[in-house]
Structure formats: C-alpha cells, structure tokens
Amino acid sequence: MAQTAQQLATGGTQVVIGDDDSMTINMGPQHPSTHGVLRLVLYLQGVVLTDRMDYLAPLSNNLGYALAVEKLLGIAVPERATVLRVLLAELTRLNNHLVWLGTQALDLGAMSVFLYCFREREVILDLFDMMSGARMMTSFIRPGGLMADLPPGWLEKCDRFLRDFPPHIAEYESLLTRNEIFRERTIGIGVIGAEDALRMDLTGPSLRASGVEWDLRKLTPYCGYESYDFTVPVLKGGDVYDRYLVRVAEMHESTSIARQAMERLPDGPIMTDDRKVAIPPRAELATSMEALIHHFKIVSEGYRPPEGEVYVCIESPKGEIGFYVVSDGSGKPYRVHVRAPSFVNLQSLPLMSQGGLVADLVAVIGSIDPVLGEVDR
C-alpha cells in the first residue's frame, strides 16, 4: 500500500493514510500494552468503525450503516435477520438507557441505582458475548443480514431476562422518581421548550421530553417497526426530570418490542443469498473452487455498489443517527458522513444551562446522554 499523505505516531501507534483513503494502523512495537516488541498491523473496515462511535449503542450503529449499504446495493434481507435486528436494536436501547440511568444517578449521589443498573446490563452484555464472542464491539449486524445465527440457548436466556426486567425498572423508580433529593436536583433544571428544541435540532428522548412526538420507528419505519405495537413516551416539562421519565418509560416499551420480536421470530437464513454480498458457507470452501474464489473476491475487494448516494437514518437510543454514503462504483465508499445524535444534541447545552448553577451543570450534561466518541467520530 502506498504510504503517502499523512503519518501520525503517538504512544507507539502509527497511522498511515494511503492514496486510496484506506487506513493501516501499526500497533507497536513500542506500544505499552503489547507486552514486548510485538507489532500488529490492523485493518479498519466500515462496520467495526460504527461499533466504536457510540460504544453504548454499537448494534444500532451497525444497523444504520448496514441499511445504507443495502439501499445502495438494492438488496433485501431475510425475514429472520430483520426480526433479529429489531430484537438486538431494542436490547441495545436497554443497554444504553441502563448505563445512562446508572451514571446519571451516580452523578447526583445515588450510588445504589448505579449498581442495580449495571447488574441488569451485565445480563445484556452476556447475551451479546454469547452470540458474537464480544461483549460490546460485536460488529454483529452486517450488510445483507447478520454475522451468524443465534447459538443454542440464547433465546431462552433472552426470554428470561425480558420477563425479569420490568420489576427491576420499578425498583429503579422506587429509588428515584419520588426521591425528594433527586427531584430537587432535576425538576425545573435544564429546561428547553419544544420550539427551542426543534430549532436546536434535538432528537431522541431529549426532544420527546420537550413535548415533540418524533420517533423514526413510527415516522419513517424500518425493519418492519410499523407492525410492532408500542407507544412513544412524550412529556412537556423539557427538564432533567422529564428526560429521566421518558427514558424510564422507553425501557418498558423496548422490553415489549423485544418480546414481540421473539414471539414472531421465523426460521430461515440470516444472510441474503445475493452474491454481491453473501460470503459462501465455510463448509463449501474446502470443496468448491468457485466458492473459494467468490469468498476471496468479496473479502479482499469489498462490495461494489453502483455509483450513487443514499442517506438512511434510524432511531438510536440517543436520537436520529444517519448515514450518508456515496459510492463511486469501487469496493470502498467514496464518502461516508454520519449525522451523530450526541454531536447535535450537545449543541443545546448552553441554552439548557444558561442562568443555572454550576452544580446543576452536571445534571444537565448527563440528561443529554452524550458519548464523546460519537461527538468526535
């Protein structure tokens, strides 16, 4: 690969940007975590990058990117994969909201809630680990479908979690919703009205807590969300307390959607049979030269969508995340730009905090639920 344009070396890690906009990272040999003079060459590709933008919603990010690539390619996804995508997206929403609730409570001095939220989150991460081999950066949703089907026992464990979870939400509320100290720190704090929220382009729970019913799962359904029975929680106070209540209500709705997905999950393939995307089954590689060549071409050269551009957005746990992808007909995107909800929502912070106390700023920042990796992208 041509090593031109730009080089950056920090802490034993070197990044090289090539003429074709591909990226090679040399990790080591002086990196402090390599335990000696180990040198690794790492290749970054689209799906794994989406995992790391918002490490609390990696599967949602996978989904948005996959839908954009599928739209460029003009391919359909099997029904089993579509239903599983909904199930995984709602588990991801629960994962995100649990971390948000636990850390928001901890920032305001409620340590017990943090411990309880992470207790339930561990079960979700165990489910992710069981299906993909990774607890957080799963890269499980791929263009064309899923990385693999679910392992034996996964659905049973997921069903137990979804049945056990609603009483835990009630437990969180018993500690916070009527807690006078929590109410004092959140009611009337960080207020933003509907008009200002729309002007600042807020989305997600932060917008719905200001009285605007805007949820892409309802407004522009994808993955069959129009066929699921759920409501969009909306409040009008626009303060830290209402943003808390909206997310708590969303956890109930996500649990319901996930259970509906499990009940309707059909049998069948989890990856499209379109040869532009589908990698041949591993068992065929040892017996079919054609399958081996097909595998090599896709893995080494990537998909080749026709020239064009798409914008696809979905409702991530933090709001609208959109992927603008431009294809020049090659195996690498000509351009990818991400509309990140953390970046857009954070712009409302000055308006929310103006005239308030420094002590309240902690509550206001947390109520927006930003992840700075997604802000920076």
Side-chain angles (χ1 to χ4, degrees):
M1 174 181 132
Q3 296 185 356
T4 61
Q6 177 181 337
Q7 292 190 356
L8 172 65
T10 56
T13 301
Q14 183 186 59
V15 180
V16 180
I17 309 296
D19 291 333
D20 58 357
D21 287 334
S22 60
M23 180 183 292
T24 299
I25 298 179
N26 288 312
M27 180 179 172
Q30 291 84 29
H31 194 283
S33 69
T34 56
H35 303 279
V37 287
L38 171 66
R39 178 175 180 266
L40 304 176
V41 179
L42 313 177
Y43 296 94
L44 303 183
Q45 298 182 20
V47 173
V48 297
L49 288 177
T50 64
D51 275 321
R52 288 154 177 78
M53 288 187 304
D54 180 358
Y55 51 83
L56 298 179
L59 286 159
S60 294
N61 295 352
N62 292 169
L63 177 57
Y65 179 73
L67 290 173
V69 174
E70 288 158 7
K71 188 173 181 179
L72 270 174
L73 288 165
I75 61 174
V77 174
E79 182 63 18
R80 180 175 175 84
T82 297
V83 175
L84 284 175
R85 284 176 168 188
V86 171
L87 173 58
L88 296 176
E90 296 309 317
L91 287 175
T92 297
R93 200 177 311 276
L94 292 177
N95 171 54
N96 181 96
H97 286 1
L98 282 169
V99 175
W100 170 81
L101 179 58
T103 55
Q104 176 80 330
L106 186 63
D107 286 344
L108 300 180
M111 181 175 290
S112 297
V113 180
F114 174 83
L115 298 174
Y116 296 154
C117 287
F118 271 64
R119 175 188 62 193
E120 276 68 73
R121 184 192 181 225
E122 279 298 303
V123 181
I124 297 176
L125 294 184
D126 285 345
L127 287 168
F128 291 166
D129 188 18
M130 186 177 177
M131 75 184 186
S132 70
R135 284 162 54 87
M136 293 177 65
M137 311 307 175
T138 61
S139 299
F140 194 75
I141 297 177
R142 308 281 180 87
L146 303 175
M147 181 186 80
D149 209 337
L150 300 175
W154 192 95
L155 288 171
E156 291 77 8
K157 183 172 182 177
C158 184
D159 182 65
R160 285 196 301 272
F161 168 76
L162 294 174
R163 293 180 184 278
D164 293 342
F165 188 56
H168 292 308
I169 303 176
E171 184 179 22
Y172 313 147
E173 287 206 84
S174 71
L175 293 168
L176 293 177
T177 303
R178 294 179 178 83
N179 184 301
E180 287 301 322
I181 298 175
F182 183 76
R183 290 166 63 89
E184 184 73 22
R185 295 295 308 275
T186 57
I187 294 178
I189 305 299
V191 176
I192 184 169
E195 184 177 340
D196 285 333
L198 289 170
R199 182 170 58 85
M200 300 300 294
D201 207 20
L202 274 175
T203 57
S206 296
L207 177 63
R208 294 189 283 273
S210 295
V212 181
E213 187 173 347
W214 182 273
D215 188 314
L216 295 174
R217 294 172 297 174
K218 288 284 191 182
L219 295 171
T220 57
Y222 52 92
C223 292
Y225 267 107
E226 67 276 9
S227 63
Y228 290 83
D229 181 21
F230 68 101
T231 59
V232 178
V234 178
L235 293 172
K236 296 183 178 180
D239 57 8
V240 173
Y241 188 69
D242 276 9
R243 291 192 278 277
Y244 152 76
L245 291 176
V246 164
R247 288 187 176 92
V248 169
E250 285 188 1
M251 288 197 284
H252 284 290
E253 296 300 324
S254 289
T255 304
S256 173
I257 296 171
R259 293 193 64 179
Q260 291 175 56
M262 291 191 63
E263 290 168 0
R264 69 172 64 179
L265 183 63
D267 294 328
I270 47 81
M271 176 57 73
T272 180
D273 59 1
D274 193 304
R275 289 178 60 84
K276 295 192 295 289
V277 173
I279 294 176
R282 186 179 183 88
E284 292 184 14
L285 301 184
T287 59
S288 170
M289 178 58 71
E290 181 185 13
L292 187 62
I293 294 172
H294 183 203
H295 181 280
F296 177 79
K297 293 284 285 184
I298 289 181
V299 171
S300 62
E301 298 179 4
Y303 317 131
R304 292 183 176 272
E307 292 185 18
E309 59 183 1
V310 297
Y311 177 77
V312 173
C313 54
I314 67 167
E315 188 70 29
S316 85
K318 296 174 175 61
E320 177 184 333
I321 184 168
F323 289 85
Y324 173 65
V325 183
V326 181
S327 171
D328 60 1
S330 70
K332 295 183 175 64
Y334 177 76
R335 186 185 181 208
V336 176
H337 179 74
V338 182
R339 190 262 188 216
S342 289
F343 175 76
V344 179
N345 292 351
L346 199 59
Q347 296 177 96
S348 64
L349 181 60
L351 187 60
M352 289 182 181
S353 57
Q354 188 174 6
L357 302 175
V358 173
D360 294 334
L361 193 57
V362 172
V364 177
I365 293 171
S367 73
I368 302 172
D369 190 20
V371 164
L372 274 297
E374 186 180 70
V375 172
D376 189 52
R377 297 183 307 292

